[in-house]
Amino acid sequence: MRELSLHILDIVENSINARAKLIYIKVYERKKQDELIIYIEDNGCGMDSDFVQKVLDPFVTTRTTRKVGLGIPLFKAAAERCEGNFNIESELGKGTRVTAKFRLSHIDRAPFGDLPGTLTVLFTANPKTDFKYKHTTDDGTYEINTKEIKMVLEDVKISNPLVADWIKNNIVEGLISINGGGE
Ligand SMILES: Nc1ncnc2c1ncn2[C@@H]1O[C@H](COP(=O)(O)OP(=O)(O)OP(=O)(O)O)[C@@H](O)[C@H]1O
Ligand SMILES: [Mg+2]
């Protein structure tokens, strides 16, 4: 079972490759509704609807048009295994939104894994991209916006190890405070 943080890493890497300047990562963990929803939205190059269909099912496409990628099909399969669903909305030149919904308590629902560590790597290794991460549970919401952090840092780089440590701890403590992202 692939941890959810690794699926998120794959999908966000797609957004970075699509030259997104701003990426939203939103997680909704709702125990009462027994659902987990992960949204990843970017303002990158987007895809037309034919291409979205091909990407969702790489095995129907001819191999000559593109290399066979598995990031999206694997995430889709993970959601569908858990009585959930998966959707891509995309527009050429505008951006893409990927939505994966899971039944939170489903036996096959993978754990989050190291969400703080994964997000910290994404935020600090891609200084030219802004990230807005929002995680909501029944107990509250945690949010972090790298654009605000970069403004406060001025000349200090977001990749500075002290900054990276601070970001990771902020996420760890934020998630603890809302009982989110755990297993
Ligand atoms: N956010 C996005 N914006 C624009 N194009 C995208 C986006 N996400 C995916 N794509 C397109 O869909 C293709 C398939 O994505 P997918 O993650 O399934 O495979 P991949 O990235 O090609 O390979 P990998 O297996 O390494 O992830 C990408 O190569 C890219 O062309
Ligand atoms: Mg990919």
Side-chain angles (χ1 to χ4, degrees), residues 10-18 42 44-47 51 55 58 66-74 88 90 95-98:
D10 280 347
I11 301 302
V12 172
E13 277 178 343
N14 286 345
S15 299
I16 291 164
N17 292 335
D42 69 57
C45 65
M47 294 170 270
F51 196 77
V55 153
R66 63 176 191 89
K67 77 176 169 94
V68 175
L70 283 178
I72 288 173
L74 284 177
I88 299 179
S90 191
T96 302
R97 182 195 290 146
V98 173

Side-chain angles (χ1 to χ4, degrees), residues 3-103:
E3 292 171 336
L4 297 178
S5 57
L6 298 179
H7 285 296
I8 292 173
L9 178 68
D10 280 347
I11 301 302
V12 172
E13 277 178 343
N14 286 345
S15 299
I16 291 164
N17 292 335
R19 295 178 304 281
K21 291 276 151 262
L22 177 61
I23 302 173
Y24 288 88
I25 302 160
K26 299 183 198 171
V27 180
Y28 295 89
E29 258 184 271
R30 297 180 175 124
K31 284 213 175 72
K32 284 179 197 142
Q33 284 102 325
D34 196 17
E35 65 181 19
L36 167 65
I37 305 174
I38 299 172
Y39 294 95
I40 294 155
E41 192 178 324
D42 69 57
N43 64 352
C45 65
M47 294 170 270
D48 65 32
S49 48
D50 281 359
F51 196 77
V52 169
Q53 287 315 309
K54 285 182 187 160
V55 153
L56 283 170
D57 191 354
F59 304 111
V60 301
T61 190
T62 52
R63 275 187 183 236
T64 48
T65 53
R66 63 176 191 89
K67 77 176 169 94
V68 175
L70 283 178
I72 288 173
L74 284 177
F75 198 25
K76 179 172 186 266
E80 289 173 348
R81 240 192 338 264
C82 299
E83 291 170 51
N85 53 60
F86 185 87
N87 188 33
I88 299 179
E89 298 153 86
S90 191
E91 203 177 321
L92 264 186
K94 283 205 139 176
T96 302
R97 182 195 290 146
V98 173
T99 308
K101 187 172 160 185
F102 300 74
R103 183 148 80 77

Side-chain angles (χ1 to χ4, degrees), residues 35 42 71 79 111 121 124 142:
E35 65 181 19
D42 69 57
V121 168
T124 57
Y142 166 76

Side-chain angles (χ1 to χ4, degrees), residues 47-180:
M47 294 170 270
D48 65 32
S49 48
D50 281 359
F51 196 77
V52 169
Q53 287 315 309
K54 285 182 187 160
V55 153
L56 283 170
D57 191 354
F59 304 111
V60 301
T61 190
T62 52
R63 275 187 183 236
T64 48
T65 53
R66 63 176 191 89
K67 77 176 169 94
V68 175
L70 283 178
I72 288 173
L74 284 177
F75 198 25
K76 179 172 186 266
E80 289 173 348
R81 240 192 338 264
C82 299
E83 291 170 51
N85 53 60
F86 185 87
N87 188 33
I88 299 179
E89 298 153 86
S90 191
E91 203 177 321
L92 264 186
K94 283 205 139 176
T96 302
R97 182 195 290 146
V98 173
T99 308
K101 187 172 160 185
F102 300 74
R103 183 148 80 77
L104 183 63
S105 68
H106 198 284
I107 186 111
D108 289 330
R109 203 263 301 165
F112 279 98
D114 183 10
L115 199 49
T118 303
L119 293 171
T120 301
V121 168
L122 283 169
F123 297 172
T124 57
N126 299 286
K128 292 201 176 120
T129 310
D130 289 318
F131 295 89
K132 287 186 182 180
Y133 165 53
K134 180 175 163 183
H135 196 123
T136 300
T137 66
D138 295 333
D139 297 330
T141 295
Y142 166 76
E143 279 179 271
I144 188 167
N145 177 352
T146 62
K147 188 174 186 167
E148 286 170 1
I149 294 169
K150 287 172 205 165
M151 258 151 49
V152 174
L153 286 174
E154 294 181 349
D155 293 338
V156 179
K157 292 202 168 69
I158 193 162
S159 58
N160 181 303
L162 292 174
V163 177
D165 272 357
W166 182 87
I167 291 173
K168 190 171 168 185
N169 284 329
N170 193 271
I171 300 172
V172 168
E173 279 162 24
L175 291 181
I176 289 172
S177 75
I178 60 165
N179 292 308

